[in-house]
Amino acid sequence: MNKYQYKVQGVDYEVEIEEVEGNIAKVNVNGIPFEVELQQPINAAKHPNIVKPKVEAPKPAASAQPVAAQSQPASAPAGSGNPLKAPLPGTINSINVKVGDTIAVGDVVIVLEAMKMQNNIEAEYAGTVTSILVNPGDSVMEGAVMMTIG
């Protein structure tokens, strides 16, 4: 049916979804067959459309400050920076940081449950967490932005 390739903590996985009946899916992971129970049945006829709202950049206000003082912002605006995306679909188990925390490359920032396994999601960038877009218990799809690191 569908083939996907994932890399989780440096390990490559090839996942092939063979058949889905109700909330039971027959899958092969690296050639090993599994039957997995889905939390919600997949309806092949319905696929949600994700629409991102257009956000206009704020217009800079006229200021009497010298240009040199304006070129060094005190902190990154909320939501700016590098996105941290979900490497595979799953459910957010825990979020180990909060907005404003300083993190280093490799810090575990989110625990994502996928296929009944706990996956530690590590920071790919060093910096400050500028936004967190998920909550514990949320389901995320592969590629969904979970947080930004500025």
Side-chain angles (χ1 to χ4, degrees):
M1 184 176 189
N2 291 326
K3 281 189 177 183
Y4 301 94
Q5 292 198 356
Y6 299 104
K7 182 176 265 189
V8 179
Q9 296 181 342
V11 178
D12 290 324
Y13 294 93
E14 184 174 301
V15 179
E16 181 179 7
I17 301 173
E18 291 181 354
E19 180 182 359
V20 177
E21 291 183 21
N23 66 338
I24 302 294
K26 293 182 181 179
V27 300
N28 282 324
V29 179
N30 291 348
I32 302 170
F34 291 94
E35 280 193 11
V36 295
E37 183 178 349
L38 305 170
Q39 290 183 342
Q40 297 176 341
I42 296 174
N43 184 350
K46 290 177 122 181
H47 292 286
N49 291 330
I50 299 173
V51 178
K52 293 184 178 180
K54 291 183 180 180
V55 178
E56 292 184 24
K59 296 180 182 177
S63 174
Q65 293 181 336
V67 174
Q70 291 178 349
S71 66
Q72 297 176 348
S75 64
S80 69
N82 298 307
L84 179 66
K85 297 180 180 180
L88 67 166
T91 303
I92 304 296
N93 258 9
S94 65
I95 301 170
N96 301 339
V97 295
K98 60 185 180 298
V99 174
D101 284 357
T102 301
I103 57 175
V105 173
D107 286 355
V108 176
V109 293
I110 292 178
V111 177
L112 178 71
E113 182 179 335
M115 295 175 49
K116 299 195 181 209
M117 292 179 59
Q118 305 298 315
N119 299 282
N120 291 333
I121 308 301
E122 298 176 352
E124 298 170 351
Y125 312 98
T128 303
V129 177
T130 57
S131 69
I132 298 175
L133 306 171
V134 294
N135 294 304
D138 287 355
S139 293
V140 294
M141 299 302 295
E142 178 181 2
V145 176
M146 299 183 293
M147 71 173 51
T148 53
I149 303 168

